[in-house]
Amino acid sequence: VELTESHSADECRSALAASDIFMGLNVDEARGVSYPLLLALGYGKPCLFSSSPPCADLPSDCGLSIRPGFTESSEVAFALETLCGSQD
């Protein structure tokens, strides 16, 4: 499911409630931390996000951050497996 700022709060909440992990790799530095990421953090969902600003300032216990441009599918898969393993 792709969540964007154009989705309503109720749509974001419903999608997050049904999810196991939140992955937010698209960052718009001018807009700050995305609303869907903030909601996911609030729900206590394991999160994968870019380590570029503004997410670079999030505490490490908020989730797993990966360097900007981290697009190699095997690397993203490894990061997701790491998050899934942290739920055990």
Side-chain angles (χ1 to χ4, degrees):
V1 174
E2 181 178 355
L3 297 175
T4 65
E5 308 296 330
S6 64
H7 287 91
S8 72
D10 287 338
E11 290 171 319
C12 288
R13 282 190 207 74
S14 294
L16 288 170
S19 71
D20 294 319
I21 292 174
F22 178 83
M23 184 169 70
L25 300 178
N26 295 328
V27 176
D28 180 355
E29 293 181 31
R31 298 188 76 186
V33 177
S34 74
Y35 179 70
L37 175 56
L38 291 174
L39 274 179
L41 292 169
Y43 274 89
K45 298 290 180 178
C47 295
L48 176 63
F49 50 86
S50 173
S51 63
S52 64
C55 296
D57 295 330
L58 292 174
S60 61
D61 62 349
C62 285
L64 183 60
S65 65
I66 58 175
R67 68 181 185 274
F70 199 92
T71 57
E72 192 67 39
S73 61
S74 62
E75 294 175 349
V76 172
F78 178 77
L80 290 172
E81 288 174 3
T82 300
L83 278 177
C84 288
S86 71
Q87 294 184 50
D88 295 335

